[in-house]
Amino acid sequence: MTDASETELPRGVALAWGVAANPQRGPKREMSVERIVEAAVEIADADGLAAVSMAAVAARLGYTPMSLYRYVTAKDDLLLLMQEEATGLPSEEIRASGTWREGLHAVYREQVQRYLEHPWVLDVPITGSPTTPNSAAWMDAGLHALADTPLTHEERLSVMLLVTGHARWTGMVLAGYARVERERGVTDADITRTEDALYRQLITADAYPDLRAAIDAGVFLDESDPFAFNLERSLDGVAAYIAGVDKGRRADRAPWTGMDDADIADDKKFREARKAVRQAEKALRDARRIERQVAREARERRARQRPEK
């Protein structure tokens, strides 16, 4: 098996991490990957993702498309870098949150806000988990919120995906409604009233009895946030699962004993061992954080020392 350190980074990923080789020819100073990405994001913000092309970005910057290809060799790489730029970094509020639930709420709120600011991100094709610095920072922030829970690393990642899934779906719906408001010059209340009127006109009690009952109850005029409700109920489930783990119940079995966790949770040595594992995991996370910081500083020093061509 090939060691991960020997894997050649895709060009877009290398650009995102700042470890790609600089172009040998072409415009200096006036052109950079950062300027290209900034111009592409401006086009997408104004006219949507479909308006972004290498030719359109080049025209915005006043260069030929071939000039861009010396910096960003493929449109897929440009899309990755645009998504990285629009995603940004999570705020310190997430790490400062008092409980795991508060931290995940912060992740959700901030990700929804990013989608509303750059709705075209939702149109970027999903080809896998983006291994870029900002995406890694979001994952790290979400996992940090769960670090003091008894969940395994796999379970924490699953919970993180649950929250980001909620954020993406909320972003899709809210961004869609925001686009309708802009294009039609209407308000959210206008849309709601129109939808309610259409439902009342088309949905009959004979054909759709339960839906009609909901309409008559004013469900489409209700001002509560259904997305917040969905997230809360999902986190209630996570909280219940965590409570079960604390009592020794887990979804799988303890393979080293063949017994359910409930059978050994009351054992003092087992509790002490589990606590030691959590402490060791925390120490490892802290060490890796320091390692990343040192590596980042080393890259910055090398970049400062590298002569311009």
Side-chain angles (χ1 to χ4, degrees), residues 17-271:
W17 285 98
V19 296
N22 291 323
Q24 300 298 314
R25 298 177 292 111
K28 299 181 180 179
R29 299 188 185 280
E30 296 85 1
M31 178 76 84
S32 66
V33 172
E34 291 75 17
R35 284 201 64 197
I36 293 170
V37 174
E38 181 181 334
V41 169
E42 290 174 355
I43 293 173
D45 284 344
D47 302 313
L49 190 64
V52 177
S53 66
M54 298 298 271
V57 175
R60 191 178 188 89
L61 294 172
Y63 292 100
T64 65
M66 288 306 299
S67 299
L68 268 64
Y69 282 109
R70 297 191 181 104
Y71 293 81
V72 181
T73 56
K75 185 178 178 181
D76 286 347
D77 293 339
L78 178 59
L79 291 177
L80 179 70
L81 296 171
M82 289 172 61
Q83 184 177 25
E84 175 76 353
E85 175 68 18
T87 299
L89 290 169
S91 73
E92 288 301 314
E93 177 190 352
I94 297 173
R95 292 186 176 277
S97 299
T99 66
W100 64 266
R101 194 157 180 157
E102 291 170 352
L104 294 182
H105 271 294
V107 169
Y108 170 82
R109 287 194 303 271
E110 292 185 21
Q111 289 195 342
V112 170
Q113 184 59 37
R114 295 296 196 284
Y115 288 133
L116 294 178
E117 292 171 354
H118 305 285
W120 53 265
V121 171
L122 296 162
D123 296 327
V124 176
I126 297 176
T127 58
S129 178
T131 51
T132 53
N134 289 353
S135 295
W138 279 100
M139 292 179 67
D140 190 69
L143 294 175
H144 176 78
L146 295 160
D148 291 331
T149 69
L151 300 180
T152 66
H153 289 295
E154 293 80 8
E155 290 167 342
R156 294 172 197 170
L157 183 59
S158 295
V159 173
M160 177 61 180
L161 292 174
L162 170 73
V163 174
T164 57
H166 274 291
R168 186 176 182 87
W169 171 241
T170 302
M172 288 175 63
V173 176
L174 295 185
Y177 274 82
R179 182 175 61 252
V180 172
E181 290 175 26
R182 290 194 304 271
E183 293 175 351
R184 299 181 184 176
V186 297
T187 66
D188 179 63
D190 293 331
I191 297 174
T192 299
R193 285 192 294 269
T194 299
E195 289 179 342
D196 180 72
L198 286 173
Y199 274 116
R200 290 180 184 277
Q201 177 182 343
L202 299 170
I203 304 301
T204 65
D206 290 338
Y208 311 96
D210 295 299
L211 177 56
R212 182 67 208 198
I215 295 169
D216 290 338
V219 67
F220 291 105
L221 296 174
D222 187 81
E223 296 182 356
S224 61
D225 185 350
F227 304 106
F229 178 87
N230 293 340
L231 178 64
E232 287 302 321
R233 300 298 72 76
S234 294
L235 295 183
D236 284 347
V238 174
Y241 183 75
I242 289 176
V245 172
D246 281 333
K247 295 178 180 178
R249 297 191 299 270
R250 182 166 250 117
D252 56 1
R253 295 174 64 85
W256 62 91
T257 63
M259 299 184 297
D260 289 333
D261 281 352
D263 296 329
I264 57 176
D266 291 333
D267 185 89
K268 181 178 179 182
K269 289 185 178 180
F270 173 77
R271 293 198 304 272

